[in-house]
Amino acid sequence: MMMCSSLWTCFILLSSLVYATFAATPRTPIDVPFGRNYVPTWAYDHIKYLNGGSEIQLNLDKYTGTGFQSKGSYLFGHFSMYIKMVPGDSAGTVTAFYLSSQNAEHDEIDFEFLGNRTGQPYILQTNVFTGGKGDREQRIYLWFDPTTSYHRYSVLWNLVQIVFFVDDIPIRVFKNSNDLGVKFPFNQPMKIYNSLWNADDWATRGGLEKTDWSKAPFIATYKGFHIDGCEASVNAKFCDTQGKRWWDQPEFRDLDAAQWQRLRWVRQKYTIYNYCNDRKRYPQIPSECTRDRDI
């Protein structure tokens, strides 16, 4: 007989045992114009609209970067963006696509693309903040040049897991390990943010490589603007359609065997840093790392 300390623990244990059998690939995102789901956040004059608003360019110069955010806040869902990164010498720049709640003990789900010198590869850094605590960085190289064409970056977030995708390939899983004492984002609606900004104090080789402003403006291009989430007020504590949306069904509560194989491929060939393996920062392996199969 399965023994559980709480109904929540039983739910998580049953999820890990049952849902892997039904795992599936997320639905194909539906592309919409920028204005359907997003508004500019800052430095409006550094955003250029193309093809009737179906694409936008973010421009970074020595005076300012720029960004945009979703109109609504969401509690779970599937969110994606096609992005073409800053080409050429992009050292010191960060192109970001992330979800974040709006309070001191915030939750956050991050894609951050760290620029590099010409000829050196971009680094994709992911992170998950829960209750205001992050420090869960993972870094990978990509298996393609992200500056020459669009690629799709997506987050699938439900009550059981968060999955980061590059195109259709999962590159990271963060499971709900609340039963292990690890907080999981489940009751703070988040907005989706995108930005291009200067971070040459840390972004490239720990800040050793500075932004070369003679190469400005730096330009990143976005399209797609897909949002399929449970829209909620910033004060909501639950999704009123819980269990009814496609991304909340059993087949999206774990990866299938082929997806786990693809994730292992990414970890083995392209991962350059994983906090789960950093014994200097974490003498004891963080408890969520075993469930996430990071070790």
Side-chain angles (χ1 to χ4, degrees):
M1 175 181 291
M2 180 182 294
M3 301 298 293
C4 306
S5 59
S6 67
L7 289 175
W8 178 261
T9 304
C10 278
F11 175 75
I12 296 300
L13 290 173
L14 285 170
S15 296
S16 64
L17 292 173
V18 176
Y19 294 139
T21 306
F22 305 101
T25 301
R27 291 184 181 178
T28 301
I30 298 173
D31 295 347
V32 298
F34 171 81
R36 176 80 59 85
N37 291 325
Y38 287 95
V39 293
T41 309
W42 47 292
Y44 293 16
D45 61 342
H46 281 55
I47 299 178
K48 183 178 181 180
Y49 299 87
L50 306 172
N51 300 320
S54 63
E55 298 177 77
I56 67 165
Q57 289 182 344
L58 301 188
N59 289 261
L60 166 66
D61 59 29
K62 64 181 179 180
Y63 301 105
T64 185
T66 189
F68 59 97
Q69 68 180 48
S70 62
K71 295 179 179 179
S73 296
Y74 300 88
L75 195 58
F76 309 121
H78 183 240
F79 314 93
S80 71
M81 193 72 65
Y82 287 93
I83 311 175
K84 186 160 49 174
M85 302 300 160
V86 175
D89 190 339
S90 59
T93 70
V94 174
T95 306
F97 166 46
Y98 64 102
L99 289 74
S100 182
S101 60
Q102 292 91 52
N103 55 41
E105 294 186 357
H106 76 293
D107 295 335
E108 187 170 318
I109 303 168
D110 292 343
F111 277 103
E112 292 181 311
F113 302 88
L114 313 183
N116 218 329
R117 291 294 178 213
T118 302
Q120 299 299 312
Y122 260 81
I123 292 173
L124 168 52
Q125 174 172 284
T126 59
N127 204 349
V128 178
F129 287 73
T130 57
K133 180 184 181 301
D135 299 327
R136 299 185 179 99
E137 299 92 346
Q138 294 185 10
R139 290 184 172 191
I140 68 170
Y141 290 132
L142 295 166
W143 47 95
F144 53 84
D145 183 347
T147 72
T148 58
S149 59
Y150 282 108
H151 288 269
R152 186 174 72 241
Y153 307 94
S154 307
V155 170
L156 189 148
W157 169 37
N158 58 37
L159 194 56
V160 178
Q161 65 177 357
I162 296 166
V163 186
F164 296 77
F165 290 92
V166 173
D167 295 321
D168 289 323
I169 297 177
I171 64 161
R172 180 174 185 175
V173 172
F174 185 79
K175 292 286 189 179
N176 189 330
S177 297
N178 189 67
D179 58 310
L180 302 178
V182 180
K183 290 183 178 180
F184 184 84
F186 76 97
N187 64 354
Q188 294 189 52
M190 300 196 229
K191 287 185 178 291
I192 302 97
Y193 297 90
N194 298 265
S195 58
L196 174 60
W197 51 292
N198 177 46
D200 66 2
D201 57 332
W202 66 271
T204 307
R205 295 184 59 215
L208 295 177
E209 301 284 352
K210 300 300 182 182
T211 304
D212 182 354
W213 293 113
S214 71
K215 303 294 195 301
F218 302 98
I219 298 173
T221 314
Y222 289 71
K223 71 175 184 177
F225 311 111
H226 167 81
I227 293 177
D228 185 352
C230 177
E231 189 165 1
S233 73
V234 294
N235 297 316
K237 298 296 183 183
F238 64 92
C239 173
D240 59 6
T241 60
Q242 189 68 44
K244 300 177 182 179
R245 307 290 283 273
W246 69 263
W247 37 259
D248 210 17
Q249 298 308 303
E251 59 265 36
F252 298 102
R253 295 176 186 172
D254 199 0
L255 304 184
D256 62 21
Q259 289 171 325
W260 279 114
Q261 186 175 10
R262 284 182 166 187
L263 179 54
R264 285 193 295 271
W265 172 75
V266 172
R267 288 171 172 165
Q268 292 169 4
K269 292 184 65 70
Y270 297 102
T271 296
I272 57 175
Y273 177 81
N274 185 340
Y275 77 105
C276 290
N277 300 320
D278 191 337
R279 295 287 77 81
K280 290 184 178 179
R281 291 176 67 191
Y282 296 98
Q284 291 188 323
I285 298 172
S287 51
E288 71 271 15
C289 293
T290 300
R291 179 168 290 168
D292 297 343
R293 304 191 195 181
D294 272 311
I295 55 172

